[in-house]
Structures are given as C-alpha cells and as structure tokens.
C-alpha cells in the first residue's frame, strides 16, 4: 500500500481562495478591508523570506498589508510603542511580530503586548488560556493548518488515538488542545519520552513537530495511519548532486513511511503552505470579530 499524498499546496490554495472571496464580500458589503501588520526586527535571512511571502500573499487575497522592518538594535520601548499604535489602529486587524527576536528583546513581553484580539499568531497568553480551556481563541497557524488538513482527510476524529511528537508552545502543545477538542485520545511525546516507537505504533494520527531530519521511520507507524509532518530541516548535499548544496526534509522518513501510512504530508509542500494560509484566515476572522460580523465557516478550529 502507498499512502495518499496530502497536498498542502493545493489545499492551502483552496483556503486562500475562500479567504479571498470573503474579503471581497467584506469590502463590497461592509466597506471593511482586513489589514495585517507584520513586524520584523533585524535581518534574520529566514525571517526576511517568511515576512516577504506573508506580505505578498496578504495582498493577493485582497487584504491590506503593513510591513514594519525595524533595525536589529531597536529598543524594547520603541517596539512596544509601535505595537501600542497598531493595537489602536482600526485599519489593522492582525498583528504579527516575527520570531525569533534579537536577544536583547523579551519575546514574551512583546507578544503579550499585542492585543489578544489582533494576535493572529495565537501566542498571546490569553489566547493560549482560551484554547487550553476549549474556548473561542485565536489559534496558532501551524497547528490550525494541521487540524484543517486532518478534518478534510478524516472528518470525525472522535475516539482516534493521536500522537504528537514535540511539545513546543507554537506547535506541539496547541496541537494537543485542538485534538483533545476533536475527541481524540492524545499522547504528547518529546525528547525524554521512553519507548516512543511503541507509542507511535498505536496511533491513528501521527503529528511530527520535532526538528530532527527523518526521525520517524516506517516501522514506527501503524498501518493506515494519517501522518502529518511539520518538520522543516535543511540537510547539506553535495553540490554535484544538488546545485543548491542542501535540501529540505521533514521529521518523517517520507519514502519509507508512505508505504505504511494511509495518508501523509510531504515536505516541502505539506504543512508549510498551510501555515500562511491560516495566518490569512486568522486575520479575516479577527476582522469579522472586530466588526461584529459572522465568521467564515470551515476556517476556524
Ligand atoms: P522546538 O525545537 O521548539 O521543539 C521540538 C520538540 O521536539 C521539543 O518538544 C523536543 O522535546 C522534541 N524533541 C527533540 N528531539 C526529540 C527526539 N529525538 N524525540 C522526540 N522528541 C524530540 O520546535 P518547533 O518550533 O515545535 O518546530 C518543530 C519543527 O517544525 C521544526 O523543524 C520547525 O522548523 C518546524 N516548523 C514548521 C512550521 C511550518 O510552517 N511548517 C512551523 C513551525 C515549526
């Protein structure tokens, strides 16, 4: 058996299309254009690529994009002043501060300064608490992307055994809350977990968010399981084989695991594109909530 390929490029394009249609309606019927402000402090190359891509896709779905590229030596006070200004700006419905921040800035303080209603990354402590207690929250984009993909593939997840490998605040922990809400039986494994392979072998749903290239092998996975690979790992390659000198792989040994899984996301082209699509849908949702308008269906947790 070869598992079905869960095509994140295609599915994220469908989500962007839905968002785009809703944005058009908002503009035409309500005279409101959703706006996303993205703050980048410093010149981290990966962050620059992400921010550029976020801005481009924001404009493509018809929203306003506001980009703030700040010097790497920007003080905490300056950054907090900008956030305060954006919190009070009626044209801005979503605010995202690209992480990681330079070492002299306190990320927790900065993230918690963003209005929870505009916190489209879902990292504010209020949103973390709301999600953890099963209430309406802004949900972090990557786990939301995984959830939408699982719903599309599986539908009702009630009673399924799910394992999440990784316990980070941005992927593993929020993912666990989302799957508990879907009535899954959830196990969260991490670097200190014993007999991880055995735990994986009983899981109907396996989510890998580890940051270890191709850690999860074929014989870890239950026959027919749905496997979601969040990992993005750069591995060096001989220039003679690949002119880039590197390739991107996930946390799952794709070639091996696809023989056993019922469905599997590739890397690249799986969860990566879903993340930005969910950022756009979160911005749309934040805009609807700010204006007391009905939220779009099928784009939230
Ligand atoms: P993190 O480093 O914050 O957390 C990694 C987790 O993996 C930790 O909880 C750790 O305990 C666990 N871990 C480490 N080694 C392990 C091992 N050998 N066995 C079991 N568990 C182990 O990482 P993160 O921010 O959650 O990201 C995880 C991966 O997902 C990274 O590759 C990252 O680049 C990727 N990522 C992708 C997206 C996306 O848009 N697709 C978004 C966020 C993160």
């Amino acid at each position: 058996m070869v598992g079905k390929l869960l095509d994140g490029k295609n599915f994220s394009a469908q989500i962007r299309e839905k968002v785009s249609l809703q944005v058009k309606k908002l503009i035409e019927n309500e005279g409101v254009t959703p706006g996303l402000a993205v703050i980048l402090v410093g010149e981290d190359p990966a962050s620059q690529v992400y921010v550029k891509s976020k801005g481009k896709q924001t404009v493509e779905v018809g929203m306003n994009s506001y980009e703030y590229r700040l010097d790497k030596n920007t003080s905490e006070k300056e950054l907090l002043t900008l956030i305060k200004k954006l919190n009070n700006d009626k044209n801005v419905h979503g605010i995202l501060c690209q992480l990681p921040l330079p070492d002299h800035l306190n990320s927790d303080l900065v993230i918690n300064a963003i209005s929870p209603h505009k916190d489209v990354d879902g990292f504010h402590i209020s949103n973390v608490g709301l999600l953890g207690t099963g209430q309406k929250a802004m949900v972090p984009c990557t786990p939301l992307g995984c959830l939408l993909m699982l719903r599309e593939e599986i539908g009702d997840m009630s009673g399924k055994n799910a394992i999440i490998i990784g316990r980070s605040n941005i992927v593993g922990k929020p993912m666990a809350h989302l799957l508990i809400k879907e009535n899954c039986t959830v196990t969260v494994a991490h670097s200190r977990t014993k007999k991880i392979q055995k735990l994986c072998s009983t899981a109907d749903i396996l989510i890998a968010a580890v940051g270890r290239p191709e850690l999860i092998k074929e014989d870890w996975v239950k026959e027919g399981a749905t496997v979601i690979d969040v990992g993005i790992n750069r591995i060096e390659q001989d220039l003679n084989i690949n002119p880039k000198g590197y390739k991107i792989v996930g946390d799952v040994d794709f070639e091996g695991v696809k023989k056993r899984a019922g469905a599997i996301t590739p890397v690249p082209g799986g969860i990566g594109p879903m993340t930005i699509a969910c950022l756009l849908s979160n911005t749309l949702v934040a805009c609807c909530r700010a204006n007391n308008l009905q939220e779009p269906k099928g784009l939230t947790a």
Side-chain angles (χ1 to χ4, degrees):
M1 185 183 123
V2 175
K4 175 180 165 190
L5 191 77
L6 299 175
D7 183 346
K9 268 194 198 162
N10 185 27
F11 191 40
S12 63
Q14 289 174 31
I15 292 176
R16 289 197 304 276
E17 183 60 32
K18 274 190 198 165
V19 171
S20 176
L21 277 172
Q22 294 292 330
V23 170
K24 200 161 172 260
K25 275 192 201 164
L26 271 182
I27 297 171
E28 281 172 10
N29 302 341
E30 312 292 338
V32 180
T33 308
L36 172 64
V38 177
I39 305 168
L40 173 63
V41 187
E43 283 136 28
D44 179 67
S47 295
Q48 283 182 331
V49 174
Y50 291 141
V51 166
K52 193 172 165 203
S53 179
K54 285 169 185 172
K56 183 169 168 273
Q57 294 193 34
T58 304
V59 172
E60 278 169 5
V61 296
M63 296 183 186
N64 288 327
S65 165
Y66 309 97
E67 259 181 48
Y68 297 84
R69 289 172 182 263
L70 309 183
D71 186 83
K72 65 177 186 308
N73 296 317
T74 299
S75 70
E76 209 158 77
K77 195 172 167 210
E78 286 170 299
L79 182 55
L80 293 176
T81 303
L82 171 62
I83 291 174
K84 196 170 171 193
K85 188 181 108 184
L86 296 172
N87 282 343
N88 292 323
D89 186 337
K90 284 200 162 54
N91 294 317
V92 172
H93 305 95
I95 304 170
L96 177 156
C97 190
Q98 186 66 43
L99 299 177
L101 287 170
D103 287 345
H104 68 283
L105 298 170
N106 178 337
S107 304
D108 288 339
L109 190 82
V110 170
I111 298 302
N112 289 325
I114 296 172
S115 159
H117 306 291
K118 298 191 178 188
D119 166 41
V120 281
D121 254 342
F123 296 161
H124 189 288
I125 193 74
S126 298
N127 282 314
V128 175
L130 289 167
L131 179 64
T133 49
Q135 300 180 67
K136 194 152 120 179
M138 292 306 301
V139 176
C141 304
T142 301
L144 179 59
C146 298
L147 177 75
L148 296 183
M149 203 160 224
L150 285 168
R151 277 197 190 143
E152 175 78 5
E153 172 59 18
I154 301 176
D156 181 8
M157 284 175 259
S158 204
K160 302 264 183 212
N161 284 338
I163 187 160
I164 300 158
I165 314 175
R167 56 177 163 181
S168 71
N169 289 338
I170 64 166
V171 190
K173 284 182 201 153
M175 193 74 239
H177 289 304
L178 289 171
L179 291 182
I180 288 169
K181 209 172 165 200
E182 295 292 312
N183 300 313
C184 291
T185 304
V186 179
T187 303
V188 180
H190 48 78
S191 52
R192 306 286 178 91
T193 300
K194 296 193 168 67
K195 300 191 177 150
I196 198 164
Q197 181 175 346
K198 195 167 170 225
L199 289 173
C200 287
S201 68
T202 61
D204 306 301
I205 296 168
L206 188 154
I207 297 184
V210 195
R212 300 276 179 275
E214 300 177 331
L215 173 79
I216 290 105
K217 306 290 182 208
E218 182 183 351
D219 57 358
W220 291 35
V221 175
K222 181 177 168 180
E223 187 85 45
T226 303
V227 177
I228 303 283
D229 190 354
V230 178
I232 301 175
N233 308 291
R234 198 171 153 140
I235 55 170
E236 304 305 316
Q237 278 201 313
D238 195 301
L239 282 169
N240 294 325
I241 300 172
N242 182 338
K244 275 193 197 161
Y246 68 89
K247 72 167 180 171
I248 301 293
V249 299
D251 293 338
V252 174
D253 172 15
F254 181 81
E255 289 306 322
V257 171
K258 78 173 182 198
K259 293 182 210 149
R260 224 173 145 82
I264 182 168
T265 58
V267 176
I271 292 304
M274 292 295 291
T275 298
I276 300 189
C278 288
L279 173 68
L280 302 175
S281 70
N282 272 352
T283 305
L284 171 65
V285 167
C287 178
C288 292
R289 289 181 186 168
N291 289 283
N292 288 320
L293 299 168
Q294 203 183 358
E295 289 174 26
K297 290 197 175 68
L299 297 175
T300 47

